[in-house]
């Protein structure tokens, strides 16, 4: 059977099976859904069963899923809830992580350029991956959840800025000008959107809410395409545009009726987490080269090293961002959540490999460690949180 056809049959099967497995195992232990998506992707990929193969069409869908993941992250961030102490502390912690990552990266990499790629990867936090986990655990509105959201916001947006400034292949001056141009245009769009009442758009959203028009979903895809296209036209990473698109949409829809906003959010969840985002995580497992990892003892040894470095370089500095009154278990959970990273790591390593500046062994080890962080850290963090007393007795203020 044709490889693409088989993949298009098997990948949806895996996507449907993943939540069933998560629900079944959830009776014993709470395991994030992405764990099953990645693990099943590896299982059906060329490294094991060989039922699904990397194809250009699936890769395009997976890239769209990655963009949608960053869009949803930008859309779900409530800046009013995390501004002040949470965001300020998270920003300081990220700068410490970036400095520590540069030190470690330059020490272990064969070149300074490769060290910079490692540093950016080590300083990332997978906010788009964590938000559904926090939401499912009903943690988003707690002081702990707000602190983790602030950490993830900086840990996702900061590396995107670093990619644009230092890994774009242009001089720093050129990169700064280009980045400022993008920020000016997207920032102006967000500002103008926030100033207007957007009644026409809100009325169209309401009128097509339960019809085949689905104006809200189509408008989201248009905004996503425009800002992703704009970022790529500026020579920036597409994820910066996707993240900005999420922020723009949140501002645009904020004036709509609460019922309409809720219905639209459910529809976006269906498109993102029911279709596109699972494709990214499953495809990440499919394309992961297990043979290359196991065939090189050095590459294999780098995986646990990077996993520990995620905790030390990215996780520990975020103890600064712990809410007032956080318990030791809160802080351990926060370190684990902070050290969870994969989407930015995939993007950074792809750029490094494409430009020939990052050795393939290091790239494979970074992705492997990133996958393990997604597989292990949120699950362990939730275990710490569940063993706490109901929130409010231990941590009372953000």
């Amino acid at each position: 059977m044709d490889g693409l056809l088989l993949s298009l049959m098997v990948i949806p099967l895996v996507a449907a099976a993943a939540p069933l497995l998560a629900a079944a195992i959830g009776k014993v232990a709470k395991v994030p859904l992405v764990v099953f998506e990645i693990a099943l992707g590896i299982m059906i990929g060329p490294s094991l069963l060989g039922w699904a193969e990397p194809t250009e069409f699936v890769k395009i869908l997976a890239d769209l899923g990655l963009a949608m993941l960053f869009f949803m992250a930008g859309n779900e961030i409530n800046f009013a809830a995390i501004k002040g102490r949470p965001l300020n502390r998270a920003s300081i912690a990220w700068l410490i992580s970036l400095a520590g990552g540069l030190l470690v990266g330059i020490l272990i990499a064969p070149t300074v350029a490769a060290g910079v790629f490692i540093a950016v990867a080590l300083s990332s936090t997978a906010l788009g991956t964590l938000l559904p986990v926090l939401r499912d655990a009903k943690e988003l509105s707690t002081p702990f959840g707000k602190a983790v959201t602030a950490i993830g916001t900086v840990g996702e947006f900061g590396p995107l800025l670093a990619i644009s400034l230092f890994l774009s292949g242009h001089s720093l001056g050129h990169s700064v000008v280009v980045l400022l141009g993008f920020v000016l245009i997207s920032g102006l769009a967000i500002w103008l959107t926030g100033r207007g009442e957007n009644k026409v758009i809100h009325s169209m959203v309401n009128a097509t809410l339960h019809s085949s028009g689905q104006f809200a979903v189509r408008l989201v895809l248009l905004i996503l395409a425009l800002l992703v296209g704009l970022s790529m036209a500026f020579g920036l990473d597409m994820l910066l545009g996707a993240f900005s698109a999420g922020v723009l949409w949140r501002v645009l829809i904020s004036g709509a009726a609460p019922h309409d906003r809720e219905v639209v959010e459910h529809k976006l969840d269906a498109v993102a987490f029911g279709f596109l985002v699972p494709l990214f995580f499953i495809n990440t497992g499919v394309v992961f080269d297990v043979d290359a990892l196991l065939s090189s003892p050095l590459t294999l040894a780098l995986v646990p090293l990077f996993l520990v470095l995620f905790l030390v370089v990215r996780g520990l500095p975020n103890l600064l961002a712990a809410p007032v009154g956080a318990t030791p278990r809160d802080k351990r959970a926060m370190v684990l959540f902070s050290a969870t990273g994969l989407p930015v790591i995939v993007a950074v390593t792809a750029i490094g490999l494409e430009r020939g500046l990052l050795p393939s062994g290091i790239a494979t080890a970074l992705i492997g460690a990133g996958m393990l962080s997604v597989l292990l850290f949120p699950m362990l963090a939730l275990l710490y949180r569940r063993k706490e007393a109901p929130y409010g007795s231990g941590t009372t203020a953000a």
Side-chain angles (χ1 to χ4, degrees), residues 6-340:
L6 183 58
S7 295
L8 292 178
M9 294 172 60
V10 174
I11 290 177
L13 175 63
V14 165
L20 296 177
L21 289 173
I25 295 179
K27 298 175 182 178
V28 179
K30 186 67 175 178
V31 182
L33 180 59
V34 295
V35 170
F36 298 96
E37 291 169 347
I38 294 174
L40 289 174
I42 294 175
M43 184 180 299
I44 65 173
S47 297
L48 293 179
L49 297 177
W51 292 351
E53 298 179 1
T55 64
E56 188 62 28
F57 179 70
V58 175
K59 180 183 182 301
I60 291 172
L61 290 178
D63 287 343
L64 185 56
L66 178 58
M68 197 67 183
L69 183 66
F70 275 72
F71 172 90
M72 294 300 291
N75 177 52
E76 292 198 46
I77 295 171
N78 184 355
F79 286 98
I82 64 174
K83 69 179 182 180
R85 184 184 187 276
L87 197 56
N88 293 339
R89 293 294 187 94
S91 299
I92 295 171
W94 182 76
L95 291 174
I96 295 172
S97 294
L98 183 61
L102 283 170
L103 178 62
V104 171
I106 292 173
L107 284 176
I108 66 176
T111 64
V112 173
V116 174
F117 281 94
I118 292 173
V120 175
L122 291 178
S123 68
S124 68
T125 297
L127 176 65
T129 305
L130 295 180
L131 283 176
V133 175
L134 293 171
R135 184 173 53 185
D136 291 346
K138 296 180 171 45
E139 288 277 17
L140 276 180
S141 60
T142 66
F144 176 86
K146 292 176 182 177
V148 173
T149 300
I151 291 167
T153 300
V154 180
E156 199 152 82
F157 193 67
L160 291 180
L161 292 179
I163 291 172
S164 302
L165 289 174
F166 305 113
L167 306 182
S168 64
H170 302 294
S171 66
L172 181 59
H174 179 273
S175 298
V176 170
V177 171
V178 167
L179 181 60
L180 287 176
F182 174 81
V183 170
L184 180 63
I185 294 174
S186 57
L188 180 62
I190 293 171
W191 180 74
L192 290 174
T193 299
R195 283 179 59 85
E197 295 184 359
N198 306 306
K199 290 184 178 180
V200 175
I201 291 177
H202 295 161
S203 64
M204 278 296 298
V205 168
N206 178 268
T208 62
L209 206 56
H210 302 291
S211 73
S212 59
Q214 295 297 322
F215 176 73
V217 176
R218 298 183 189 202
L219 184 58
V220 162
L221 294 176
L222 174 61
I223 292 172
L224 180 62
L226 288 176
L227 284 180
V228 165
L230 180 65
S231 64
M232 295 177 70
F234 274 72
L236 303 172
D237 192 271
M238 72 166 187
L239 301 182
L240 188 60
F243 190 89
S244 302
V247 176
L248 174 59
W249 173 252
R250 183 181 181 90
V251 174
L252 182 63
I253 200 65
S254 61
H259 172 264
D260 291 354
R261 292 202 308 269
E262 183 178 356
V263 173
V264 170
E265 289 303 313
H266 287 318
K267 292 178 184 293
L268 292 181
D269 279 348
V271 173
F273 300 110
F275 174 41
L276 293 172
V277 174
L279 281 176
F280 164 70
F281 286 113
I282 294 170
N283 192 63
T284 298
V286 169
V287 301
F288 185 69
D289 194 346
V290 177
D291 294 334
L293 181 66
L294 298 179
S295 63
S296 172
L298 177 59
T299 301
L300 190 60
L302 284 175
V303 174
L305 174 62
F306 283 137
L307 195 64
V308 172
L309 288 175
F310 287 150
L311 290 169
V312 175
V313 173
R314 183 66 190 126
L316 290 181
N318 285 294
L319 291 174
L320 291 171
V324 175
T327 67
R329 284 188 177 276
D330 288 337
K331 294 178 179 179
R332 291 172 200 153
M334 186 161 293
V335 168
L336 288 163
F337 275 132
S338 305
T340 303

Side-chain angles (χ1 to χ4, degrees), residues 109-117 167-169 347-363:
T111 64
V112 173
V116 174
F117 281 94
L167 306 182
S168 64
V348 169
T349 53
I351 295 171
L353 289 172
E354 182 181 341
R355 294 176 54 195
L357 297 175
L358 189 66
S360 60
I362 292 179

